[in-house]
Amino acid sequence: MKYYIISGEASGDLHGSNLMKSILEKDTHAEFRFWGGDLMASVGGTLVKHYRDLAFMGFLEVIQNLRTILGNIKFCKKDIAQYQPDVLVLIDYPGFNLRIAQFAKSLGIKVVYYISPQLWAWKEGRVETIKKYVDEMLVILPFEQDFYKKHQVEAHFVGHPLLDAIHNLPPVDIEKFKTDNQLGKEDIIALLPGSRKQEVEKMLNLMLSVREHFKGYQFVIAGAPSLDTEFYKKFTDGQVHFVSNKTYDLLRCSKAALVTSGTATLETALLNIPEVVCYRSSKVSYEIAKRLVKHIKYISLVNLIMDREVVKELIQDELTTPNLIQELSLILSGERREKILQDYENLRHNLGDSGASDRAAELIVKL
């Protein structure tokens, strides 16, 4: 069968690649055409557009790039019409993907949504679009099934694909990792500032502002695959190191992490690394979001899934150097660190078993 898959960011590239591998096990003649990244490309098929050309952050940036976004939508529709896939698989990325779902449905193509947009947080009205144009809704967070049921949409909870990605990791040798990447002997504090230039510049300056207070540690930046090495050079010197495309290994070799809100907060937790969650956007974008987002208590997936504060979130005006110093100190040793590690065990239990990619692939192939 022919599969057309659309992912618009790094995490979608990871989950899309694992899904493609699972589909190939069940459909050995599968053909893929996709929007994604290097991980999906490594599985095979035709990469139409890379996610680094699609990611626009915040309301202002979207408005500034509206012509590009609309051009991409038009191109995508034409490409799908020419390819005529048996099924369209959409991975998160709702502003783009919901438009494409409607178009594909008009052509009689089966539509699967894998990894739900966060409609429980904002834009709940989009559920009506999903009800009309999506044949199978596959969700990865335990509370999402009940959310859709409330809206008379049958959603299948397949488990979280990050469990698959992390379950399949080979062991890591901490000392060898440090040597291979020209790092020092000190314990590592990992910095995960995001994947888009705009947010990385903003977050890294804040994260690095604390290093003088942690003399016994080395700070290591996790480079995003969407950004080249040259971009990070202005942030590195003799005391700050940089590792590219090895985020999971870096985390597993770290004592703690400062993490920009997003999928990385859950990845860090599942790898058992205490973290402080950081988030700051432009004042205009933040004020707009505050009015649009429903009354959810947390921004990190860790806290949302557990429905309580497991990891500290420093948001907007609370994201200051003194607050970062205080919260980072608390998770390096002592009771706070031990409590987080205990809570991580419960988090893994709540997410269920690994095998999300296989379960999703089975439903897609069956459809």
Side-chain angles (χ1 to χ4, degrees):
M1 289 194 292
K2 293 162 70 175
Y3 302 81
Y4 200 103
I5 306 173
I6 304 175
S7 161
E9 52 200 0
S11 60
D13 180 36
L14 170 65
H15 302 325
S17 68
N18 286 327
L19 178 66
M20 288 163 69
K21 290 172 191 172
S22 291
I23 288 173
L24 279 169
E25 289 176 4
K26 294 165 175 55
D27 178 7
T28 53
H29 299 293
E31 296 176 20
F32 299 113
R33 189 170 178 84
F34 55 90
W35 297 44
D38 299 339
L39 294 175
M40 293 172 75
S42 70
V43 180
T46 303
L47 174 62
V48 180
K49 275 189 183 285
H50 201 287
Y51 67 78
R52 63 172 162 254
D53 300 321
L54 308 173
F56 301 105
M57 179 192 172
F59 297 98
L60 290 179
E61 194 181 355
V62 167
I63 291 167
Q64 289 165 357
N65 292 278
L66 196 56
R67 181 173 290 185
T68 300
I69 294 166
L70 293 174
N72 284 336
I73 290 170
K74 184 178 179 181
F75 172 78
C76 185
K77 288 178 178 179
K78 184 179 178 183
D79 196 50
I80 289 171
Q82 288 177 342
Y83 186 60
Q84 284 294 309
D86 295 292
V87 63
L88 170 68
V89 181
L90 307 170
I91 302 177
D92 200 358
Y93 199 48
F96 188 95
N97 276 339
L98 287 174
R99 292 169 185 253
I100 301 303
Q102 183 174 353
F103 173 76
K105 195 68 177 169
S106 72
L107 298 182
I109 297 167
K110 295 287 187 183
V111 179
V112 177
Y113 218 120
Y114 176 50
I115 305 179
S116 171
Q118 295 178 351
L119 304 186
W120 34 266
W122 74 316
K123 294 195 175 180
E124 192 169 337
R126 282 175 164 175
V127 173
E128 293 305 313
T129 305
I130 286 170
K131 196 184 289 188
K132 283 183 187 176
Y133 306 116
V134 173
D135 296 289
E136 287 281 5
M137 191 72 206
L138 311 181
V139 299
I140 63 171
L141 298 174
F143 58 81
E144 289 179 324
Q145 196 169 30
D146 288 338
F147 169 80
Y148 279 103
K149 188 176 181 180
K150 184 181 77 175
H151 291 279
Q152 294 80 51
V153 175
E154 185 185 0
H156 298 274
F157 173 58
V158 295
H160 206 294
L162 277 181
L163 293 171
D164 298 349
I166 288 165
H167 178 74
N168 294 325
L169 289 174
V172 62
D173 182 322
I174 294 177
E175 295 310 315
K176 185 176 186 302
F177 179 83
K178 288 179 178 178
T179 302
D180 290 349
N181 292 281
Q182 293 85 51
L183 304 179
K185 297 292 184 184
E186 304 91 346
D187 283 339
I188 295 170
I189 294 173
L191 306 180
L192 278 65
S195 59
R196 302 176 180 103
K197 282 187 179 181
Q198 180 188 1
E199 70 178 344
V200 170
E201 287 180 339
K202 190 178 296 177
M203 301 310 295
L204 264 184
N205 285 321
L206 274 162
M207 290 173 173
L208 289 171
S209 69
V210 309
R211 62 179 176 154
E212 293 302 315
H213 296 266
F214 297 92
K215 294 289 189 183
Y217 295 89
Q218 56 182 324
F219 286 75
V220 183
I221 301 166
S226 55
L227 301 175
D228 57 50
T229 305
E230 284 296 314
F231 170 76
Y232 290 96
K233 282 190 174 176
K234 58 189 168 188
F235 301 104
T236 59
D237 55 28
Q239 292 177 296
V240 180
H241 300 276
F242 164 80
V243 173
S244 182
N245 296 332
K246 299 174 185 174
T247 301
Y248 282 6
D249 284 350
L250 171 61
L251 282 169
R252 290 191 291 163
C253 294
S254 299
K255 184 81 170 178
L258 302 179
V259 185
T260 297
S261 176
T263 305
T265 62
L266 184 56
E267 291 172 308
T268 303
L270 293 176
L271 290 168
N272 220 34
I273 306 303
E275 64 184 305
V276 179
V277 176
C278 309
Y279 178 80
R280 181 184 285 179
S281 66
S282 73
K283 194 163 186 177
V284 173
S285 290
Y286 180 71
E287 289 301 322
I288 293 172
K290 207 161 66 168
R291 285 158 175 76
L292 291 176
V293 171
K294 289 184 174 292
H295 300 293
I296 57 171
K297 293 179 280 187
Y298 308 108
I299 62 166
S300 69
L301 284 171
V302 179
N303 293 345
L304 282 166
I305 293 165
M306 296 295 285
D307 197 26
R308 59 186 171 86
E309 186 182 84
V310 171
V311 294
K312 183 65 178 179
E313 299 178 353
L314 295 177
I315 305 170
Q316 210 67 7
D317 293 338
E318 290 182 352
L319 183 57
T320 63
T321 300
N323 285 348
L324 273 174
I325 293 167
Q326 176 182 316
E327 296 302 329
L328 181 55
S329 299
L330 287 172
I331 64 172
L332 288 171
S333 62
E335 290 181 12
R336 175 74 175 138
R337 179 182 178 85
E338 293 307 312
K339 180 69 169 67
I340 288 176
L341 294 175
Q342 287 172 15
D343 285 338
Y344 283 173
E345 286 186 31
N346 294 327
L347 171 72
R348 286 189 286 273
H349 175 75
N350 286 359
L351 284 173
D353 299 324
S354 58
S357 303
D358 283 340
R359 286 188 285 272
E362 190 173 334
L363 287 164
I364 291 167
V365 172
K366 185 180 176 183
L367 177 73

